[in-house]
Amino acid sequence: MSATDYDLVIVGGGITGASTAWDASLRGLKVALLEKDDFAHATTSGSSKLVHGGLRYLVNGELKLVRESLRERRIWENVAPHMVHPLPFVIPTYGWGMKGPLVLGLGLALYDLLSFDRNWLSDDDKKLPGFRRLSKGKALDLVPSLRREGLTGAMIYYDCQMFAPERLCLECIEGAVEYGADVANYAEVTGFTTEAAFGRGVKVTGVTVMDEVTGATHTIRGRVVVNAAGPWADKTMAMADETPARRLIRSKGIHIITRDLSGTHALAIQSAIGGHFFVIPWRGYTIIGTTDTVFEDDPDELGVTEKDIEDFLRVVNDGLPGLHLKREDVIHFYAGIRPLVDTTPQEVPGVEQGESAKEAEKKDSYNASRAAEVYDHAPEDAIDGLISAIGGKWTTSRHLAEQVVDLALKKLGKSAKCETQCTPVYGGDMARLKTYVERAQKRHAHLAPDIVENLVNFYGSRIDEVLATADERQGERDVLLKRLAPDNPVIGVQVVHAVRHEMAQHLDDVIFRRTGLGTLGHPGVPVIKQVAELMGRELGWDETALANEISGTVRLFETIPGR
């Protein structure tokens, strides 16, 4: 990469950077993408797994953001049919005021109106019905744990969820690579290279990057650099300007995973003590999330404390008193940071006597806009050749990338139309998902049906490429096509494929982001050890490296000490 001149160098391998690389590559630009950890390791994988319009943003009057999100929801369904699926939501109604059926019905009618194109889809199974009302009795039949005082019924509306957000991010990166992009994980950008610009300021000409594996430092040259570092975006901006014109609010959101609580329906619940949360069915279990608190520490220090779980369980049991969830019901937990564009002025209006601006800001992170911003550093900061993509949400990441690439092309004096809205992601080239699964099961009748279905869920139309890895070396096939555990559909070839073809460098890359083995909780030491041994043979790990990888991965299933 250091021997190549790039049109675009992208800093950050989350969904914003991945979408930007995919879009730019499809438009014919020469692209480099650099990620300091593993692809999709932070906010991208720490989400609620939803692709949604953001019903609550209607309350803030953000109609433009809701419409954008609903359009993007449909696009993701079309271009990633194996990854993005319809999900019905139940919202209980209480009384006849703001939480009653009339007000909520008007809001949902507007939501449906703004998603007028929601069924412009090639797969009929992906189509989303309009909202409908349930009586109090039917609402309780569906969700017995609802708070009964004042309950007047419920509404059902539809949004979508992702099977595995970290894999969908990786597929955008793989699509970029297929069209000529060069990408590297464990490659930390440590600074910018610049030259004097004509007239004023400086022009960014590339980045300095440290290879986390070897420790070597390189310079990567690019005519335009895109800062897509998510929660680290302001820190990246500060490498170019000590006082960047844009600030971030980092909002921490934790999720807990527990047993199946709601069947096929998700719940949107309001708690009197902690705002709203979702109860989301996911791969046979339930995700409950999310919290929303300002996070002021280093993003690298993010984790879940026992107090985080305890406080969130109190909120959940307040909103759904019939659940009686306890700490032992929590199978797994994870956290993510939302990078929100800070639109708060330096002096916050309405700050009470003795209360700091930072404290006032904390109170409002829940209501901070999820809108994104594409920031050109040339006009205000006199830094040409640098674009920052800040804020935003998973659902709108593709459109944010489109705007970034539009601006980059303008700076490069080039012109090309965006194609990501109509191009399947890497693995998304199929018609009807259900039919594709059935045909794949017939084609691979030597494998159990649940194994094939899981392969389609994770790799879509590329499953034959994954299975072909089992035949790359003589004598491996039988071993690599076996399950890693009797009750788990993941097979050994997925691990080897991750190392040979998907740049997995560490054990947690495979456990959490290539196979999903650890995303529903600890898969057991025997499974982790099997994966480590398969990886170790590929990467030449000795006994010490093997032990370190296993212990480091096991620690990720534990809470961190509270402060």
Side-chain angles (χ1 to χ4, degrees):
M1 294 171 81
S2 60
T4 306
D5 290 318
Y6 293 97
D7 294 313
L8 214 60
V9 174
I10 299 165
V11 182
I15 188 55
T16 300
S19 294
T20 303
W22 181 40
D23 187 333
S25 299
L26 283 174
R27 295 205 226 183
L29 297 184
K30 185 59 181 170
V31 175
L33 181 143
L34 302 159
E35 165 55 52
K36 76 184 187 72
D37 203 286
D38 188 29
F39 307 122
H41 82 285
T43 300
T44 295
S45 57
S47 75
S48 301
K49 326 294 184 193
L50 297 178
V51 175
H52 66 121
L55 183 61
R56 75 179 180 90
Y57 307 148
L58 287 178
V59 178
N60 300 342
E62 295 186 277
L63 296 185
K64 186 178 177 185
L65 176 60
V66 174
R67 170 59 199 146
E68 177 195 14
S69 302
L70 291 168
R71 183 193 66 233
E72 293 300 307
R73 181 187 69 184
R74 171 182 57 80
I75 290 172
W76 280 119
E77 280 190 278
N78 263 329
V79 301
H82 59 305
M83 276 286 167
V84 181
H85 311 289
L87 179 65
F89 279 79
V90 176
I91 307 184
T93 57
Y94 290 92
W96 300 96
M98 289 300 291
K99 296 179 183 177
L102 182 60
V103 174
L104 187 56
L106 288 171
L108 287 170
L110 178 57
Y111 199 65
D112 281 351
L113 184 65
L114 289 169
S115 62
F116 62 88
D117 56 351
R118 64 184 180 274
N119 291 328
W120 296 0
L121 300 162
S122 54
D123 185 345
D124 286 345
D125 295 337
K126 302 285 185 185
K127 292 185 176 178
L128 307 179
F131 82 95
R132 70 181 194 275
R133 185 180 172 188
L134 295 179
S135 66
K136 178 179 177 180
K138 287 187 177 177
L140 288 170
D141 286 343
L142 201 59
V143 191
S145 56
L146 288 175
R147 183 181 293 279
R148 297 184 177 223
E149 297 86 356
L151 184 70
T152 51
M155 298 289 188
I156 291 184
Y157 76 99
Y158 285 77
D159 260 317
C160 290
Q161 76 174 158
M162 292 173 277
F163 184 82
E166 51 285 331
R167 285 250 24 135
L168 183 49
C169 175
L170 186 65
E171 288 179 351
C172 291
I173 292 172
E174 289 178 310
V177 170
E178 192 171 44
Y179 281 85
D182 295 326
V183 305
N185 53 356
Y186 297 101
E188 182 175 4
V189 170
T190 56
F192 295 101
T193 57
T194 60
E195 63 182 29
F198 182 74
R200 68 184 187 115
V202 297
K203 175 171 173 53
V204 170
T205 58
V207 297
T208 53
V209 55
M210 186 181 77
D211 184 336
E212 296 281 345
V213 178
T214 66
T217 299
H218 303 275
T219 298
I220 312 293
R221 297 183 302 277
R223 294 173 64 192
V224 175
V225 175
V226 174
N227 169 18
W232 292 266
D234 54 350
K235 293 177 178 291
T236 305
M237 282 188 265
M239 293 178 192
D241 186 343
E242 289 181 4
T243 55
R246 293 295 184 272
R247 297 189 304 154
L248 286 182
I249 300 173
R250 294 180 184 84
S251 171
K252 175 180 174 179
I254 77 155
H255 298 78
I256 57 176
I257 293 180
T258 185
R259 65 185 185 277
D260 180 11
L261 297 176
S262 62
T264 58
H265 289 73
L267 313 177
I269 302 297
Q270 189 78 27
S271 162
I273 63 173
H276 90 286
F277 61 89
F278 292 126
V279 178
I280 305 164
W282 191 60
R283 294 166 57 189
Y285 292 80
T286 295
I287 297 173
I288 306 178
T290 174
T291 59
D292 200 329
T293 54
V294 168
F295 185 75
E296 295 174 343
D297 296 335
D298 190 314
D300 289 311
E301 303 301 316
L302 179 70
V304 179
T305 67
E306 286 296 327
K307 186 176 185 306
D308 287 335
I309 296 174
E310 180 186 321
D311 291 347
F312 190 40
L313 284 174
R314 197 175 300 118
V315 170
V316 173
N317 286 324
D318 175 70
L320 288 168
L323 282 185
H324 306 295
L325 281 182
K326 300 182 177 64
R327 175 63 179 89
E328 54 264 33
D329 295 316
V330 178
I331 298 166
H332 187 45
F333 45 82
Y334 62 93
I337 299 178
R338 304 171 196 87
L340 309 174
V341 181
D342 186 1
T343 55
T344 312
Q346 296 299 322
E347 299 209 358
V348 182
V351 176
E352 296 171 11
Q353 190 77 28
E355 181 184 35
S356 73
K358 185 60 81 173
E359 285 169 337
E361 189 179 280
K362 273 188 180 182
K363 290 182 179 179
D364 204 42
S365 77
Y366 175 79
N367 292 312
S369 175
R370 270 51 176 174
E373 182 180 359
V374 178
Y375 180 60
D376 183 353
H377 289 259
E380 287 186 48
D381 302 333
I383 302 170
D384 197 15
L386 178 61
I387 300 170
S388 287
I390 48 181
K393 50 198 281 258
W394 224 114
T395 304
T396 54
S397 56
R398 187 214 64 84
H399 187 229
L400 174 60
E402 181 180 341
Q403 296 168 71
V404 170
V405 179
D406 283 347
L407 178 56
L409 282 167
K410 189 176 176 183
K411 286 182 166 294
L412 293 167
K414 298 185 177 185
S415 176
K417 285 187 177 179
C418 177
E419 295 184 5
T420 52
Q421 80 282 4
C422 57
T423 303
V425 298
Y426 192 90
D429 192 8
M430 62 179 68
R432 189 180 181 213
L433 174 62
K434 184 180 177 183
T435 305
Y436 189 89
V437 170
E438 290 169 354
R439 288 174 179 167
Q441 287 169 334
K442 286 179 183 176
R443 196 167 70 248
H444 299 288
H446 57 289
L447 296 172
D450 66 317
I451 289 176
V452 178
E453 184 175 5
N454 186 64
L455 287 168
V456 174
N457 284 332
F458 273 95
Y459 307 99
S461 58
R462 305 284 182 152
I463 68 165
D464 291 344
E465 295 174 18
V466 178
L467 291 171
T469 305
D471 295 316
E472 286 177 347
R473 295 178 189 167
Q474 199 169 358
E476 286 186 336
R477 180 179 174 83
D478 291 344
V479 174
L480 294 184
L481 295 186
K482 285 183 180 175
R483 298 175 190 265
L484 293 173
D487 58 346
N488 197 302
V490 179
I491 56 179
V493 72
Q494 294 176 252
V495 177
V496 174
H497 184 82
V499 176
R500 293 182 192 169
H501 303 291
E502 294 181 339
M503 300 179 74
Q505 300 287 321
H506 294 287
L507 181 57
D508 61 299
D509 298 345
V510 171
I511 295 289
F512 288 102
R513 290 174 293 279
R514 301 298 187 281
T515 66
L517 274 167
T519 52
L520 289 168
H522 200 311
V525 172
V527 171
I528 290 177
K529 192 176 177 188
Q530 266 194 86
V531 175
E533 287 171 351
L534 282 168
M535 291 187 71
R537 283 200 288 272
E538 296 292 320
L539 295 168
W541 293 343
D542 59 20
E543 288 299 317
T544 303
L546 200 70
N548 288 341
E549 290 284 344
I550 291 172
S551 62
T553 298
V554 168
R555 273 198 302 275
L556 297 174
F557 293 100
E558 301 167 359
T559 52
I560 62 170
R563 286 191 173 89

